[in-house]
Amino acid sequence: MRYGYFDNEHREYVIDRVDTPVSWTNYIGTKDMCGVVNQTAGGYLFSGSSEYHRITRFRPNGVPMDFPGHYVYLRDEADGDFWSVSWQPVSKPLDQAKYVCRHGLSYSKYLCDYRGIHAEQTLFVAEDDPVEIWDVVIRNDSNRVRNLSAFSYCEFSFHQIDMDNRNFQMSLYAAGSRYADGIIEHDLYYEEDGYQFFTSNFEPDGYDCLRDAFIGAYHTERNPVAVERGVCSGSAELGGNHCGSLQKRITLQPGESVRLIFLLGEGGVESGKVMRQRYANAAAVDEQFEKLRLFWDKKLEKLQIQTPNDGMNALINIWTLYQSEINVIFSRFSSFIEVGGRTGLGYRDTAQDAMCVPHSNPDKCRQRIVELLRAETRAGYGLHLFEPRWFEPEQKQQSFRSPTVIPTPDRASIVHGIKDACSDDALWLVVSVAQYIKETGDFAFADERITYADGGEESVYDHLRRILNFSAEQVGQNGICKGLRADWNDCLNLGGGESTMVSFLHYWALDHFVPLAEKLGRSEDATYYRAMAEHVKDVCERVLWDGSWYIRGITADNRKIGTHTDAEGKVHLESNAWAVLSGVASKERGEQALRAIQEYLYTPYGIILNAPPYTKPDDGIGFVTRVYPGLKENGAIFSHPNPWAWGAACALGDGKAAMTFYDALCPYHQNDKIEVRQSEPYVYCQFVVGKAHTAFGRARHPFMTGSAGWSYYAATEYILGIKPDYDCLSVDPCIPADWKEFSVTRVWRGVTYDIHVTNPNGVTCGVKRILLNGAPVAQIPQLSAGARCRVEVELG
Ligand code: GLC
């Protein structure tokens, strides 16, 4: 069953059945202001932080689903019938009204046809101003004159999620609203920058600033009294709950249309005046929309592919890059699932996100890397979850203190001890830095001086050394890295026990660090860390091999987990994928590990994290044994580690396995299986329910997942094999033998490489020759910026 289709030409996903089983979301905004919206215009807006600076309200986990939102109601003045431009909130029966939603890159468009009126509402954030634009077009497709009223509606929030949900005896009286000259102002009395405005490019015929006056007692967003009776009440007050509702009466001749612009922005009435003026003419709105299109053009053109796999083309060229960028820009805590109760940066998540898109967003990746380095301790571990502003050199101080906000943490409580450190967190960052330098050629970054969370400062390079040294020191009784609070798997809590995955990660990080040290002329370090890597490899190969696959770890009381004798948690994906991906496993063992993944973990919807799932609590292993079988970390198809297996298959030259794995998880291929998948098919979800559960195949938690960056990285660098290096661009694909050819346009350091790969002998890997503008070369060099060149690669 399908609910929509990919419109690749317009870079949109078109939902033509809007009653999707769960919310299908999108993100608007490309800088600080961000909206999370679904296919029925439900959702919320925030600026900077979804925890501390929420502009509009959302009722998470609520009934009805995904309310409220940024809505426009239409009312036929002839008989009082009313509906909304997005299907919700009024929810007219879908056999009477036609609704479509087009989710595009940083905008969503809602289209509606009902009783001869066509209406559209486009939501996006201006590129140049902190303002959300609601671009509304209403057209009379009937053959009679129509008198209509349009009403906007959004519900303001008390900014801080905690304030918004508790202590109402205080917070209810700290928010106020007022109206003058077409502008609604909303403010929070206890915040200096607690102002928003809601305005339009027309003279309103009515307004309501008070939510309860607009909606009415015992009514809901489905049937607000103001819309029912056809007139707003002109409400505003200091104290209470507030909304942005402006009413406009319109008369449309047959065929005539009108365009109304609503503006929801940061700042008080003075900002509202400026914006009202700036966007008075809809041409200014068109200009911002065009800028948004160019913003994405510039990113997407950095890497475009044309392969025999349509799903891969649509995802890599549009959606997976988009999803990866959203993660880097807004971090991982703002969705309909994480609804602002957490904010800041997760250490490992951000490090991996920043590792994957330095080509399309070098500045943001660099910023994230710097924020992470500042949150590293001198001991060499990262703070698992932190607010970048804690460590910014310039701290903005509020001139007065509000009575009921969350206490401001002091340094001592911010810098957690090793007992709360995750063993993998900072290791990822070594590779993020290497990737950033390979992409940009910015070697000077390695020497930049950066502070530590617990004081002192050193170069980026020395920060990385401390990370590698930490993992070398933090080993358990078998010489494998300790599991500490958790490794990548939050629910595997081995403490003083040992984590296979982290030792593999340690090796991988060392393997990336050594060439960097060499490039920077630090040959002593290169020798030292190469020896460290060899030692790690030896210990891993000695301790972690179980006979047919690699174990997952060792508990503090020295029990091996993930062995052939285990009835539960026998085979794990992370350890076996990383054994190969890291470069530790010999070819022979690597192939056996891949076979174990295929035999025990592969399903048609992707690869399961561990099998069979745990059913008996075992606190030596961790919380994973208390998670329901088939969900999340206990035997679900956790999406993020899936691309590790694609990479592992490629490292072994098995292009068929890599593509089979890719296709299984690929949401594009599930477009017509929504009765199973339920979630949106244009983005990866955090996990897909595993075999052991009754809802096998159901996907959950879209957008905010490391599978975005990692699937992009694994598909482009391993399967298609386009890897920037310190001073050359390497092309070394691993593809299915029946791919005859594929093309990639890659912009690297200002040069456009038009790469065409041919596979005349039907191999899966191995480069026979490379031609650069027709001449044979051993490797593809960096050319002068601005150049465009042709690269022909023949496999065989
Ligand atoms: C969530 C967390 C991530 C973790 C993963 C597996 O996605 O954000 O940090 O690695 O779960 O536990």
Side-chain angles (χ1 to χ4, degrees), residues 332-333 338 342 346-349 352 384 424-425 428 487-492 574 609 632-633 638 640-641 644 686 704-706:
R332 297 262 201 97
F333 300 127
E338 294 265 21
R342 287 203 285 173
Y347 209 95
R348 77 163 77 88
D349 294 353
Q352 291 169 84
H384 188 61
D424 67 317
D425 269 342
W428 303 101
D487 64 17
W488 168 87
N489 187 328
D490 277 331
C491 301
L492 192 78
E574 305 99 307
L609 202 51
K632 296 199 40 107
E633 282 89 341
F638 215 92
H640 183 155
W644 300 341
Q686 186 201 59
M704 309 268 98
T705 151

mmCIF file of all heavy atoms in Angstrom, residues 332-333 338 342 346-349 352 384 424-425 428 487-492 574 609 632-633 638 640-641 644 686 704-706, ligand 1:
data_model
loop_
_atom_site.group_PDB
_atom_site.id
_atom_site.type_symbol
_atom_site.label_atom_id
_atom_site.label_comp_id
_atom_site.label_asym_id
_atom_site.label_seq_id
_atom_site.Cartn_x
_atom_site.Cartn_y
_atom_site.Cartn_z
ATOM 1 N N ARG A 332 20.200 16.256 17.156
ATOM 2 C CA ARG A 332 19.304 15.099 17.057
ATOM 3 C C ARG A 332 18.080 15.131 17.978
ATOM 4 O O ARG A 332 17.464 14.105 18.204
ATOM 5 C CB ARG A 332 20.088 13.839 17.391
ATOM 6 C CG ARG A 332 21.212 13.529 16.467
ATOM 7 C CD ARG A 332 20.802 12.504 15.413
ATOM 8 N NE ARG A 332 22.001 11.882 14.893
ATOM 9 C CZ ARG A 332 22.462 10.718 15.334
ATOM 10 N NH1 ARG A 332 21.821 10.048 16.252
ATOM 11 N NH2 ARG A 332 23.562 10.227 14.827
ATOM 12 N N PHE A 333 17.785 16.272 18.560
ATOM 13 C CA PHE A 333 16.771 16.219 19.621
ATOM 14 C C PHE A 333 15.478 16.953 19.316
ATOM 15 O O PHE A 333 14.745 17.329 20.225
ATOM 16 C CB PHE A 333 17.366 16.727 20.931
ATOM 17 C CG PHE A 333 18.546 15.928 21.382
ATOM 18 C CD1 PHE A 333 19.746 16.534 21.692
ATOM 19 C CD2 PHE A 333 18.455 14.550 21.473
ATOM 20 C CE1 PHE A 333 20.842 15.786 22.090
ATOM 21 C CE2 PHE A 333 19.537 13.786 21.873
ATOM 22 C CZ PHE A 333 20.743 14.409 22.183
ATOM 23 N N GLU A 338 11.553 13.055 19.889
ATOM 24 C CA GLU A 338 12.311 13.862 20.862
ATOM 25 C C GLU A 338 11.715 15.248 20.716
ATOM 26 O O GLU A 338 11.980 15.934 19.736
ATOM 27 C CB GLU A 338 13.790 13.921 20.480
ATOM 28 C CG GLU A 338 14.502 12.601 20.551
ATOM 29 C CD GLU A 338 15.214 12.393 21.866
ATOM 30 O OE1 GLU A 338 14.866 13.054 22.874
ATOM 31 O OE2 GLU A 338 16.129 11.563 21.897
ATOM 32 N N ARG A 342 15.240 17.323 25.541
ATOM 33 C CA ARG A 342 16.698 17.321 25.586
ATOM 34 C C ARG A 342 17.181 18.270 24.508
ATOM 35 O O ARG A 342 16.509 18.484 23.515
ATOM 36 C CB ARG A 342 17.244 15.930 25.258
ATOM 37 C CG ARG A 342 17.038 14.939 26.347
ATOM 38 C CD ARG A 342 18.051 13.818 26.203
ATOM 39 N NE ARG A 342 17.693 12.923 25.103
ATOM 40 C CZ ARG A 342 18.502 11.935 24.696
ATOM 41 N NH1 ARG A 342 19.669 11.755 25.271
ATOM 42 N NH2 ARG A 342 18.139 11.144 23.723
ATOM 43 N N GLY A 346 24.745 15.287 21.471
ATOM 44 C CA GLY A 346 25.206 13.983 21.927
ATOM 45 C C GLY A 346 26.591 13.806 21.329
ATOM 46 O O GLY A 346 26.788 14.071 20.143
ATOM 47 N N TYR A 347 27.549 13.360 22.140
ATOM 48 C CA TYR A 347 28.939 13.369 21.667
ATOM 49 C C TYR A 347 29.145 12.472 20.451
ATOM 50 O O TYR A 347 29.584 12.907 19.397
ATOM 51 C CB TYR A 347 29.885 12.963 22.808
ATOM 52 C CG TYR A 347 31.250 13.594 22.636
ATOM 53 C CD1 TYR A 347 31.564 14.777 23.279
ATOM 54 C CD2 TYR A 347 32.194 13.029 21.797
ATOM 55 C CE1 TYR A 347 32.800 15.380 23.107
ATOM 56 C CE2 TYR A 347 33.428 13.629 21.623
ATOM 57 C CZ TYR A 347 33.732 14.804 22.277
ATOM 58 O OH TYR A 347 34.946 15.406 22.094
ATOM 59 N N ARG A 348 28.788 11.198 20.623
ATOM 60 C CA ARG A 348 29.071 10.281 19.517
ATOM 61 C C ARG A 348 28.203 10.574 18.305
ATOM 62 O O ARG A 348 28.632 10.451 17.169
ATOM 63 C CB ARG A 348 28.894 8.827 19.967
ATOM 64 C CG ARG A 348 27.474 8.357 20.075
ATOM 65 C CD ARG A 348 27.407 6.835 20.115
ATOM 66 N NE ARG A 348 27.784 6.321 21.416
ATOM 67 C CZ ARG A 348 26.913 6.139 22.429
ATOM 68 N NH1 ARG A 348 25.636 6.438 22.286
ATOM 69 N NH2 ARG A 348 27.326 5.639 23.569
ATOM 70 N N ASP A 349 26.935 10.955 18.567
ATOM 71 C CA ASP A 349 26.027 11.191 17.442
ATOM 72 C C ASP A 349 26.547 12.341 16.583
ATOM 73 O O ASP A 349 26.611 12.249 15.358
ATOM 74 C CB ASP A 349 24.620 11.537 17.951
ATOM 75 C CG ASP A 349 23.963 10.369 18.670
ATOM 76 O OD1 ASP A 349 24.534 9.265 18.665
ATOM 77 O OD2 ASP A 349 22.874 10.566 19.241
ATOM 78 N N GLN A 352 29.722 11.570 14.557
ATOM 79 C CA GLN A 352 29.469 10.776 13.346
ATOM 80 C C GLN A 352 28.734 11.601 12.293
ATOM 81 O O GLN A 352 29.020 11.514 11.103
ATOM 82 C CB GLN A 352 28.681 9.518 13.696
ATOM 83 C CG GLN A 352 29.505 8.534 14.495
ATOM 84 C CD GLN A 352 28.652 7.414 15.058
ATOM 85 O OE1 GLN A 352 28.385 6.432 14.381
ATOM 86 N NE2 GLN A 352 28.201 7.573 16.287
ATOM 87 N N HIS A 384 29.219 13.168 27.461
ATOM 88 C CA HIS A 384 28.279 12.416 26.632
ATOM 89 C C HIS A 384 27.187 13.290 26.023
ATOM 90 O O HIS A 384 26.799 13.113 24.874
ATOM 91 C CB HIS A 384 27.674 11.282 27.463
ATOM 92 C CG HIS A 384 26.851 10.359 26.631
ATOM 93 N ND1 HIS A 384 27.385 9.640 25.587
ATOM 94 C CD2 HIS A 384 25.522 10.070 26.650
ATOM 95 C CE1 HIS A 384 26.424 8.926 25.008
ATOM 96 N NE2 HIS A 384 25.296 9.178 25.630
ATOM 97 N N ASP A 424 33.059 4.792 23.528
ATOM 98 C CA ASP A 424 33.258 5.054 22.096
ATOM 99 C C ASP A 424 33.222 6.533 21.741
ATOM 100 O O ASP A 424 33.736 6.937 20.697
ATOM 101 C CB ASP A 424 32.153 4.372 21.281
ATOM 102 C CG ASP A 424 30.781 5.003 21.559
ATOM 103 O OD1 ASP A 424 30.484 5.280 22.744
ATOM 104 O OD2 ASP A 424 30.025 5.255 20.616
ATOM 105 N N ASP A 425 32.580 7.341 22.592
ATOM 106 C CA ASP A 425 32.195 8.706 22.224
ATOM 107 C C ASP A 425 33.245 9.480 21.428
ATOM 108 O O ASP A 425 32.994 9.979 20.339
ATOM 109 C CB ASP A 425 31.836 9.511 23.482
ATOM 110 C CG ASP A 425 30.357 9.432 23.814
ATOM 111 O OD1 ASP A 425 29.558 9.066 22.927
ATOM 112 O OD2 ASP A 425 29.989 9.747 24.968
ATOM 113 N N TRP A 428 35.157 8.494 17.635
ATOM 114 C CA TRP A 428 34.589 8.870 16.324
ATOM 115 C C TRP A 428 35.185 10.182 15.821
ATOM 116 O O TRP A 428 35.324 10.406 14.621
ATOM 117 C CB TRP A 428 33.077 9.038 16.428
ATOM 118 C CG TRP A 428 32.343 7.842 16.927
ATOM 119 C CD1 TRP A 428 31.874 7.636 18.187
ATOM 120 C CD2 TRP A 428 31.958 6.676 16.175
ATOM 121 N NE1 TRP A 428 31.235 6.419 18.277
ATOM 122 C CE2 TRP A 428 31.267 5.813 17.047
ATOM 123 C CE3 TRP A 428 32.127 6.284 14.850
ATOM 124 C CZ2 TRP A 428 30.749 4.583 16.642
ATOM 125 C CZ3 TRP A 428 31.606 5.060 14.444
ATOM 126 C CH2 TRP A 428 30.932 4.224 15.339
ATOM 127 N N ASP A 487 28.956 1.497 25.098
ATOM 128 C CA ASP A 487 29.687 1.842 23.879
ATOM 129 C C ASP A 487 28.648 2.400 22.914
ATOM 130 O O ASP A 487 27.633 2.940 23.367
ATOM 131 C CB ASP A 487 30.499 0.653 23.324
ATOM 132 C CG ASP A 487 29.656 -0.534 22.878
ATOM 133 O OD1 ASP A 487 28.431 -0.374 22.682
ATOM 134 O OD2 ASP A 487 30.226 -1.630 22.703
ATOM 135 N N TRP A 488 28.843 2.276 21.598
ATOM 136 C CA TRP A 488 27.844 2.847 20.676
ATOM 137 C C TRP A 488 26.430 2.414 21.065
ATOM 138 O O TRP A 488 25.479 3.182 20.957
ATOM 139 C CB TRP A 488 28.153 2.423 19.220
ATOM 140 C CG TRP A 488 26.997 2.760 18.345
ATOM 141 C CD1 TRP A 488 26.779 3.951 17.721
ATOM 142 C CD2 TRP A 488 25.863 1.935 18.074
ATOM 143 N NE1 TRP A 488 25.567 3.927 17.076
ATOM 144 C CE2 TRP A 488 24.983 2.700 17.278
ATOM 145 C CE3 TRP A 488 25.490 0.643 18.431
ATOM 146 C CZ2 TRP A 488 23.768 2.194 16.821
ATOM 147 C CZ3 TRP A 488 24.271 0.145 17.981
ATOM 148 C CH2 TRP A 488 23.426 0.916 17.182
ATOM 149 N N ASN A 489 26.337 1.178 21.530
ATOM 150 C CA ASN A 489 25.037 0.651 21.938
ATOM 151 C C ASN A 489 24.755 1.129 23.364
ATOM 152 O O ASN A 489 25.312 0.622 24.329
ATOM 153 C CB ASN A 489 25.084 -0.880 21.870
ATOM 154 C CG ASN A 489 23.727 -1.493 22.108
ATOM 155 O OD1 ASN A 489 22.913 -0.949 22.850
ATOM 156 N ND2 ASN A 489 23.492 -2.639 21.501
ATOM 157 N N ASP A 490 23.879 2.106 23.476
ATOM 158 C CA ASP A 490 23.554 2.705 24.769
ATOM 159 C C ASP A 490 23.105 1.691 25.804
ATOM 160 O O ASP A 490 23.177 1.938 27.001
ATOM 161 C CB ASP A 490 22.384 3.690 24.595
ATOM 162 C CG ASP A 490 22.855 5.049 24.115
ATOM 163 O OD1 ASP A 490 23.999 5.425 24.416
ATOM 164 O OD2 ASP A 490 22.057 5.731 23.444
ATOM 165 N N CYS A 491 22.588 0.585 25.328
ATOM 166 C CA CYS A 491 21.985 -0.392 26.241
ATOM 167 C C CYS A 491 22.932 -1.529 26.587
ATOM 168 O O CYS A 491 22.545 -2.483 27.256
ATOM 169 C CB CYS A 491 20.702 -0.939 25.634
ATOM 170 S SG CYS A 491 19.513 0.367 25.304
ATOM 171 N N LEU A 492 24.143 -1.480 26.082
ATOM 172 C CA LEU A 492 25.133 -2.488 26.444
ATOM 173 C C LEU A 492 26.040 -1.837 27.485
ATOM 174 O O LEU A 492 26.867 -0.998 27.152
ATOM 175 C CB LEU A 492 25.941 -2.894 25.204
ATOM 176 C CG LEU A 492 26.804 -4.127 25.387
ATOM 177 C CD1 LEU A 492 25.944 -5.388 25.310
ATOM 178 C CD2 LEU A 492 27.872 -4.187 24.299
ATOM 179 N N GLU A 574 27.294 -5.258 15.494
ATOM 180 C CA GLU A 574 28.348 -4.239 15.640
ATOM 181 C C GLU A 574 29.743 -4.855 15.611
ATOM 182 O O GLU A 574 30.634 -4.371 14.918
ATOM 183 C CB GLU A 574 28.215 -3.461 16.963
ATOM 184 C CG GLU A 574 26.883 -2.811 17.219
ATOM 185 C CD GLU A 574 26.042 -3.663 18.133
ATOM 186 O OE1 GLU A 574 25.860 -4.860 17.824
ATOM 187 O OE2 GLU A 574 25.563 -3.155 19.154
ATOM 188 N N LEU A 609 20.222 -6.261 14.906
ATOM 189 C CA LEU A 609 21.388 -5.917 15.721
ATOM 190 C C LEU A 609 21.972 -7.131 16.450
ATOM 191 O O LEU A 609 23.182 -7.267 16.548
ATOM 192 C CB LEU A 609 20.981 -4.832 16.731
ATOM 193 C CG LEU A 609 22.063 -3.955 17.320
ATOM 194 C CD1 LEU A 609 22.947 -3.349 16.257
ATOM 195 C CD2 LEU A 609 21.415 -2.841 18.149
ATOM 196 N N LYS A 632 14.121 -1.774 19.286
ATOM 197 C CA LYS A 632 15.320 -0.973 19.532
ATOM 198 C C LYS A 632 16.593 -1.837 19.609
ATOM 199 O O LYS A 632 16.813 -2.667 18.764
ATOM 200 C CB LYS A 632 15.113 -0.092 20.763
ATOM 201 C CG LYS A 632 13.992 0.907 20.484
ATOM 202 C CD LYS A 632 13.927 2.113 21.349
ATOM 203 C CE LYS A 632 15.173 2.775 21.739
ATOM 204 N NZ LYS A 632 15.386 4.044 21.042
ATOM 205 N N GLU A 633 17.375 -1.643 20.674
ATOM 206 C CA GLU A 633 18.687 -2.299 20.699
ATOM 207 C C GLU A 633 18.621 -3.810 20.927
ATOM 208 O O GLU A 633 19.639 -4.482 20.851
ATOM 209 C CB GLU A 633 19.582 -1.666 21.788
ATOM 210 C CG GLU A 633 20.212 -0.335 21.403
ATOM 211 C CD GLU A 633 19.336 0.870 21.743
ATOM 212 O OE1 GLU A 633 18.117 0.700 21.936
ATOM 213 O OE2 GLU A 633 19.884 1.988 21.809
ATOM 214 N N PHE A 638 18.252 -2.134 13.809
ATOM 215 C CA PHE A 638 18.681 -0.774 14.166
ATOM 216 C C PHE A 638 19.377 -0.230 12.919
ATOM 217 O O PHE A 638 20.322 -0.830 12.405
ATOM 218 C CB PHE A 638 19.633 -0.834 15.368
ATOM 219 C CG PHE A 638 19.465 0.338 16.286
ATOM 220 C CD1 PHE A 638 18.602 0.287 17.372
ATOM 221 C CD2 PHE A 638 20.156 1.525 16.042
ATOM 222 C CE1 PHE A 638 18.434 1.383 18.206
ATOM 223 C CE2 PHE A 638 19.988 2.621 16.874
ATOM 224 C CZ PHE A 638 19.126 2.552 17.958
ATOM 225 N N HIS A 640 21.228 2.463 12.043
ATOM 226 C CA HIS A 640 22.557 3.061 12.046
ATOM 227 C C HIS A 640 23.692 2.050 11.769
ATOM 228 O O HIS A 640 24.571 2.330 10.952
ATOM 229 C CB HIS A 640 22.714 3.782 13.396
ATOM 230 C CG HIS A 640 23.973 4.522 13.609
ATOM 231 N ND1 HIS A 640 24.058 5.572 14.488
ATOM 232 C CD2 HIS A 640 25.208 4.389 13.116
ATOM 233 C CE1 HIS A 640 25.285 6.034 14.494
ATOM 234 N NE2 HIS A 640 25.996 5.334 13.678
ATOM 235 N N PRO A 641 23.702 0.884 12.419
ATOM 236 C CA PRO A 641 24.803 -0.055 12.144
ATOM 237 C C PRO A 641 24.683 -0.761 10.802
ATOM 238 O O PRO A 641 25.636 -1.403 10.371
ATOM 239 C CB PRO A 641 24.690 -1.081 13.268
ATOM 240 C CG PRO A 641 23.737 -0.525 14.241
ATOM 241 C CD PRO A 641 22.861 0.421 13.513
ATOM 242 N N TRP A 644 27.361 -0.074 8.355
ATOM 243 C CA TRP A 644 28.666 -0.654 8.723
ATOM 244 C C TRP A 644 28.840 -1.992 8.000
ATOM 245 O O TRP A 644 29.943 -2.329 7.558
ATOM 246 C CB TRP A 644 28.768 -0.855 10.248
ATOM 247 C CG TRP A 644 28.625 0.415 11.033
ATOM 248 C CD1 TRP A 644 28.790 1.690 10.561
ATOM 249 C CD2 TRP A 644 28.287 0.542 12.423
ATOM 250 N NE1 TRP A 644 28.575 2.588 11.580
ATOM 251 C CE2 TRP A 644 28.267 1.916 12.730
ATOM 252 C CE3 TRP A 644 28.004 -0.373 13.437
ATOM 253 C CZ2 TRP A 644 27.967 2.414 14.011
ATOM 254 C CZ3 TRP A 644 27.711 0.106 14.708
ATOM 255 C CH2 TRP A 644 27.695 1.488 14.994
ATOM 256 N N GLN A 686 15.152 5.451 12.940
ATOM 257 C CA GLN A 686 16.141 4.929 13.889
ATOM 258 C C GLN A 686 16.161 3.398 13.881
ATOM 259 O O GLN A 686 17.194 2.777 13.905
ATOM 260 C CB GLN A 686 15.848 5.427 15.307
ATOM 261 C CG GLN A 686 16.927 5.028 16.297
ATOM 262 C CD GLN A 686 16.425 5.052 17.731
ATOM 263 O OE1 GLN A 686 15.473 4.362 18.100
ATOM 264 N NE2 GLN A 686 17.045 5.884 18.548
ATOM 265 N N MET A 704 16.002 11.719 12.736
ATOM 266 C CA MET A 704 17.090 11.922 13.694
ATOM 267 C C MET A 704 17.792 10.598 13.977
ATOM 268 O O MET A 704 17.542 9.950 14.991
ATOM 269 C CB MET A 704 16.542 12.485 15.012
ATOM 270 C CG MET A 704 15.651 13.690 14.861
ATOM 271 S SD MET A 704 16.543 15.250 14.957
ATOM 272 C CE MET A 704 16.767 15.669 13.245
ATOM 273 N N THR A 705 18.638 10.190 13.091
ATOM 274 C CA THR A 705 19.341 8.922 13.282
ATOM 275 C C THR A 705 20.670 8.934 12.549
ATOM 276 O O THR A 705 20.775 9.482 11.445
ATOM 277 C CB THR A 705 18.486 7.710 12.795
ATOM 278 O OG1 THR A 705 19.361 6.655 12.354
ATOM 279 C CG2 THR A 705 17.580 8.063 11.646
ATOM 280 N N GLY A 706 21.634 8.311 13.160
ATOM 281 C CA GLY A 706 22.966 8.225 12.563
ATOM 282 C C GLY A 706 22.972 7.423 11.279
ATOM 283 O O GLY A 706 23.969 7.405 10.554
HETATM 284 C C1 GLC B 1 20.433 6.228 19.767
HETATM 285 C C2 GLC B 1 21.464 7.178 20.326
HETATM 286 C C3 GLC B 1 22.847 6.801 19.863
HETATM 287 C C4 GLC B 1 23.140 5.340 20.122
HETATM 288 C C5 GLC B 1 22.054 4.460 19.554
HETATM 289 C C6 GLC B 1 22.245 3.002 19.929
HETATM 290 O O1 GLC B 1 20.318 6.395 18.393
HETATM 291 O O2 GLC B 1 21.197 8.498 19.930
HETATM 292 O O3 GLC B 1 23.813 7.582 20.507
HETATM 293 O O4 GLC B 1 24.388 5.031 19.573
HETATM 294 O O5 GLC B 1 20.804 4.881 20.030
HETATM 295 O O6 GLC B 1 22.096 2.800 21.291
#
